[in-house]
Amino acid sequence: MSRTRARWAAVLAAVITGGSVIAMPSAQAADTRPSDAELLSKCDNGTKFCVFHPAGDADIVPGEAHQVGDVAYNCTEDPQMSSRTWEDTTGESNTMGVSLRQELESKFPFGPVFKLAFEESYKRTWASSHTETQTTLLNVPAGEVGWVTRAPRMQKVKGTYELIFKDRFHGKRYWYVPFEATGPTSEQPSVKTQRSRAMTAEERGMYCA
């Protein structure tokens, strides 16, 4: 073996056995997927293309039933009618956990993109909140307490944000973010139900004394 070959063989052996002599650059940092929130914060804020693609039909689903207005106590021995006026607001929810209502659109630029795509695809508006007000006549049996529950109608849609960046972002120019949102709809009425139960001894002592 020549003297030059021997020298290079010694250098190669040192690299193999030492391991830390030469550090190869890693692409892991550039290729790490950013969070969905980080990606959507770049919608129209660093991208040259950001659009929401709805998938399938928008479904109408029942919201959670909950009490609205005050309860009515019937301390008599006869059925009683009681009037209760109530107001109830239903909000939206989505996979990002933020509201898309008008005053927050500057913070969440993907909001207007979603609403525009929704309204163009389904030919109806997207509401971030809906308030319903009503006066209900409660028929409360003798010795019972009555109340009203309301279950709002909700519209639910799934889809994907497509983002194309002007420059590579975390190693890529194309990113896709799944997104799901549920919001109130005024196109179908909410479900109102009257309920009642027997008063407890504590309630009778508190409200019927």
Side-chain angles (χ1 to χ4, degrees):
M1 180 183 294
S2 68
R3 186 173 299 176
T4 301
R5 283 187 181 179
R7 184 181 300 116
W8 279 110
V11 171
L12 180 60
V15 171
I16 294 174
T17 57
S20 60
V21 174
I22 296 178
M24 299 299 293
S26 172
Q28 184 177 359
D31 294 339
T32 300
R33 177 182 168 83
S35 67
D36 289 347
E38 185 179 1
L39 283 169
L40 290 184
S41 70
K42 297 294 184 180
C43 186
D44 290 341
N45 180 32
T47 59
K48 69 175 183 180
F49 182 79
C50 178
V51 66
F52 177 74
H53 300 289
D57 296 330
D59 297 323
I60 301 299
V61 297
E64 183 179 355
H66 54 280
Q67 178 186 324
V68 292
D70 296 329
V71 298
Y73 296 95
N74 183 1
C75 297
T76 73
E77 297 181 355
D78 300 303
Q80 297 290 330
M81 296 293 293
S82 182
S83 174
R84 289 293 183 269
T85 299
W86 51 266
E87 179 178 284
D88 190 49
T89 299
T90 305
E92 68 181 344
S93 62
N94 54 63
T95 50
M96 297 304 298
V98 299
S99 173
L100 306 179
R101 62 182 183 268
Q102 183 69 36
E103 59 266 36
L104 294 181
E105 287 181 354
S106 59
K107 287 186 178 181
F108 305 111
F110 62 89
V113 171
F114 168 81
K115 290 203 273 190
L116 179 62
F118 177 88
E119 291 167 7
E120 287 182 347
S121 296
Y122 303 113
K123 308 306 179 187
R124 61 174 184 258
T125 59
W126 177 266
S128 293
S129 65
H130 175 69
T131 300
E132 185 173 349
T133 303
Q134 192 175 95
T135 297
T136 303
L137 288 175
L138 276 171
N139 185 6
V140 185
E144 295 195 3
V145 53
W147 68 94
V148 179
T149 64
R150 172 179 178 258
R153 296 290 188 181
M154 309 290 285
Q155 52 189 359
K156 184 176 184 179
V157 63
K158 298 179 181 179
T160 303
Y161 276 91
E162 180 183 7
L163 300 97
I164 302 177
F165 285 83
K166 301 172 185 176
D167 301 307
R168 289 184 181 274
F169 186 65
H170 287 255
K172 296 181 181 180
R173 291 183 60 242
Y174 294 82
W175 287 99
Y176 300 91
V177 180
F179 189 80
E180 180 180 306
T182 303
T185 176
S186 58
E187 297 176 7
Q188 295 192 24
S190 60
V191 177
K192 274 82 68 177
T193 306
Q194 294 192 27
R195 301 184 181 279
S196 66
R197 60 167 175 78
M199 274 191 285
T200 65
E202 182 180 1
E203 287 173 329
R204 186 174 294 278
M206 183 177 298
Y207 298 104
C208 301

